[in-house]
Amino acid sequence: MLRKRIIFTLIYENGFFHQSRNFRLQRVGNIRWLERNYKFQSVAFSLDELIVLNASKEDKDMQKFAQTLKRLVDNVFIPIAAGGGIRSLEDAKTLFDNGADKIVLNSALFQDRELVKALTTKYGSQSVVASVDYKIVENKRMVFIEDGTLDTGKELQVYLKDLEGLNVGELYLNSIDQDGTGFGYDTNVVEELFTSLKAPLIIAGGAGNEKHLLEGLKIESVSAVATANLFNFMGDGLPNARKKILAEDINLASFVNKSL
Amino acid sequence: MKIVIVDYGMGNIHSITSALKYIGVQEVVVSHKSEDLQSADKLLLPGVGAFNQAMINIQKLELDTVLKNLVLIEKKPILGICLGMQLLCESSDEDGLHSGLGFIKGDVRKFDISPLSVPHVGFNQVKAPANSRLYTGLEELSDFYFTHSFRMQSGSPINAGICEYGQEFIASFELDNIAGTQFHPELSQTNGLKVLENFVKSF
């Protein structure tokens, strides 16, 4: 049976990893700090997938980000998706060459549909994750791009309809309002959305504990739950959360003990 | 132990290289030169992308002749992963019907499982065959990471691991010195590392 997934999203900005709250970033540490204090590589053994996003605002130095990515994913044996600031085929290639198995596109979905098509053609739709950030404005879920700074003026429902022709492999739906709050996912969004996108759905934004992950995983149409909460889920947080979720008989992969 | 990853210009070889080193393989070389392939204890055929393009690359580099000699005559162990496994088969119908290396009896065909979405992406369970070398030390049903739109079928006894996605398909095979996995062991956590370790130790 095809399994559901728990994904960790790491937010990178100018050489450091960050805790995000409503898309405002708080610096946590650089890669050495992550390796040392969070034992990142051992935490990764409790994950099904890792997403690494470059949220640098002014200069998204792709080479520097790629170098960090390469070091980060060494000895991490799960699929890695990376993105943030991909504006060309060359940007995507840089990430694929440095350990990414998939790429994550956000602003390009709105600003450069030709690039999205070129990427799905070249690398296959399964290699392209569509990331969509939304925020409630006057009671409507509006889609924002450019790291949540620019309102597209499109309602989520309409925006997703526009994505249908792009043949993306997965949809990563992130609530800016819930992001980093630890209050739980915007689960209503899943029920209220009518999308004919066949791509698997990943929900993100708001998970603060394993109950939230569980709540998301229990929704039939949700393929994966993502969290970027470094504080709550690193160290033993994530391994323990996974154990508890597996004990609830949720359809997750199980891995043999790490005794290699 | 020296493993040569056959480089024909397709696929992300970063993870597989680092996985082989992680499980303790002393020498991991990425190459398409026949003298390197010749000097390997074992070969690994990786790959992500289109079948036909892969075969064109392989023929251009004359790897088909080199591999045939090493694998079929000298019986050097080889593990094909994902597209690499498919290339070991006789044919694929991806973008028209194309011949593969033909080291194993089997054909690659597109999933026909509407309304389920294709590609088949994610962790899924594989049922290990009896007396398997690849799955030694794992449960009878173990999870591995897949990402593919075409799957292998075979009418021959090739000691196949079976996965189900809308229909049953061949997730792995192991016959004498030739093995293949449709899934990516290098992206399948400890389960995948175990399979790689088994290939290194038991083939």
Side-chain angles (χ1 to χ4, degrees):
Chain A
M1 190 177 6
L2 187 61
R3 304 297 203 172
K4 295 198 175 199
R5 292 168 285 160
I6 298 176
I7 299 174
F8 197 87
T9 306
L10 277 170
I11 311 287
Y12 166 97
E13 187 192 30
N14 300 325
F16 291 85
F17 291 97
H18 291 72
Q19 173 79 17
S20 168
R21 176 151 185 158
N22 307 119
F23 278 39
R24 285 187 303 275
L25 302 184
Q26 180 189 344
R27 181 178 287 196
V28 178
N30 63 10
I31 184 159
R32 268 156 69 194
W33 191 90
L34 198 68
E35 286 166 348
R36 197 170 345 113
N37 294 293
Y38 277 154
K39 296 181 207 134
F40 181 74
Q41 274 141 4
S42 97
V43 171
F45 277 103
S46 296
L47 287 173
D48 299 293
E49 203 165 315
L50 180 68
I51 295 180
V52 192
L53 296 178
N54 182 1
S56 308
K57 295 271 189 306
E58 285 96 42
D59 177 21
K60 290 194 192 274
D61 184 336
M62 199 56 80
Q63 291 300 333
K64 196 177 163 202
F65 174 59
Q67 288 315 306
T68 304
L69 178 71
K70 189 173 185 172
R71 174 155 169 200
L72 182 76
V73 304
D74 209 26
N75 294 343
V76 174
F77 304 110
I78 46 176
I80 312 290
I86 295 173
R87 296 290 180 271
S88 64
L89 286 169
E90 191 53 39
D91 286 342
K93 185 175 184 304
T94 302
L95 297 181
F96 280 121
D97 286 347
N98 286 281
D101 301 297
K102 316 180 196 186
I103 49 164
V104 183
L105 299 177
N106 185 304
S107 301
L109 300 170
F110 186 71
Q111 294 169 330
D112 192 353
R113 293 172 65 91
E114 289 310 309
L115 175 63
V116 182
K117 284 180 194 162
L119 286 166
T120 53
T121 305
K122 183 163 183 200
Y123 295 102
S125 63
Q126 80 284 352
S127 302
V128 177
V129 180
S131 152
V132 176
D133 300 322
Y134 65 93
K135 183 157 87 177
I136 294 176
V137 181
E138 291 166 3
N139 283 320
K140 289 178 180 154
R141 291 191 179 89
M142 303 301 289
V143 173
F144 283 67
I145 55 169
E146 303 281 349
D147 300 298
T149 58
L150 189 65
D151 188 345
T152 61
K154 293 224 176 205
E155 267 194 70
L156 182 57
Q157 187 72 65
V158 177
Y159 193 88
L160 294 183
K161 182 93 192 138
D162 290 346
L163 290 187
E164 281 174 20
L166 287 178
N167 200 24
V168 293
E170 285 175 88
L171 177 63
Y172 181 90
L173 214 48
N174 192 13
S175 161
I176 298 175
D177 298 305
Q178 298 300 108
D179 176 60
T181 58
F183 296 160
Y185 293 111
D186 174 19
T187 48
N188 296 330
V189 73
V190 184
E191 287 146 32
E192 290 164 26
L193 277 182
F194 295 97
T195 171
S196 44
L197 273 179
K198 279 174 86 184
L201 175 64
I202 304 164
I203 55 169
N209 55 49
E210 79 276 357
K211 288 198 186 77
H212 295 143
L213 302 180
L214 199 55
E215 199 176 44
L217 290 167
K218 280 184 175 165
I219 302 172
E220 198 188 337
S221 59
V222 169
S223 297
V225 290
T227 175
N229 199 316
L230 278 168
F231 296 144
N232 294 10
F233 286 111
M234 279 294 165
D236 290 334
L238 206 54
N240 289 339
R242 190 181 186 91
K243 264 182 226 151
K244 286 182 193 164
I245 291 168
L246 275 169
E248 294 268 341
D249 224 8
I250 290 285
N251 180 27
L252 286 182
S254 36
F255 305 118
V256 290
N257 284 333
K258 192 189 159 200
S259 58
L260 292 156
Chain B
M1 173 68 62
K2 177 177 180 178
I3 294 193
V4 173
I5 299 174
V6 183
D7 178 19
Y8 57 96
M10 289 173 79
N12 172 1
I13 46 165
H14 181 86
S15 316
I16 185 66
T17 310
S18 106
L20 290 172
K21 286 183 180 159
Y22 187 87
I23 60 168
V25 176
Q26 293 92 349
E27 210 180 337
V28 182
V29 177
V30 180
S31 173
H32 56 75
K33 292 192 189 127
S34 65
E35 59 267 32
D36 285 332
L37 271 60
Q38 184 74 51
S39 72
D41 295 309
K42 294 183 166 74
L43 299 167
L44 198 140
L45 191 63
V48 173
F51 188 93
N52 190 31
Q53 187 59 51
M55 280 310 293
I56 290 171
N57 292 7
I58 283 174
Q59 281 154 1
K60 247 186 220 161
L61 294 162
E62 294 176 4
L63 283 167
D64 47 343
T65 323
V66 175
L67 286 172
K68 195 174 253 175
N69 181 48
L70 292 177
V71 175
L72 297 185
I73 296 169
E74 293 187 24
K75 301 282 179 192
K76 210 180 269 289
I78 187 168
L79 172 66
I81 294 177
C82 196
L83 177 63
M85 157 182 161
Q86 298 184 354
L87 293 169
L88 298 174
C89 296
E90 295 170 297
S91 77
S92 166
D93 70 351
E94 183 173 357
D95 304 323
L97 195 62
H98 302 284
S99 294
L101 292 166
F103 295 174
I104 195 95
K105 284 204 163 52
D107 298 290
V108 180
R109 296 293 179 260
K110 188 160 177 77
F111 268 119
D112 180 18
I113 46 171
S114 185
L116 284 179
S117 62
V118 173
H120 168 225
V121 181
F123 281 93
N124 203 334
Q125 285 175 307
V126 174
K127 187 172 184 292
N131 306 318
S132 165
R133 284 176 287 166
L134 280 180
Y135 299 95
T136 305
L138 289 164
E139 303 280 323
E140 191 193 1
L141 284 172
S142 298
D143 290 295
F144 297 96
Y145 184 78
F146 291 85
T147 172
H148 60 126
S149 300
F150 294 77
R151 89 296 187 205
M152 181 182 172
Q153 303 168 311
S154 177
S156 303
I158 55 171
N159 219 12
I162 300 295
C163 181
E164 198 207 324
Y165 183 62
Q167 57 191 187
E168 288 193 338
F169 65 91
I170 296 175
S172 71
F173 61 78
E174 43 190 303
L175 202 63
D176 303 326
N177 60 318
I178 308 175
T181 63
Q182 178 61 64
F183 54 83
H184 285 272
E186 77 282 16
L187 302 178
S188 299
Q189 288 280 26
T190 45
N191 296 357
L193 294 172
K194 192 77 199 161
V195 166
L196 289 174
E197 198 182 48
N198 288 337
F199 171 70
V200 172
K201 278 189 187 157
S202 315
F203 278 75

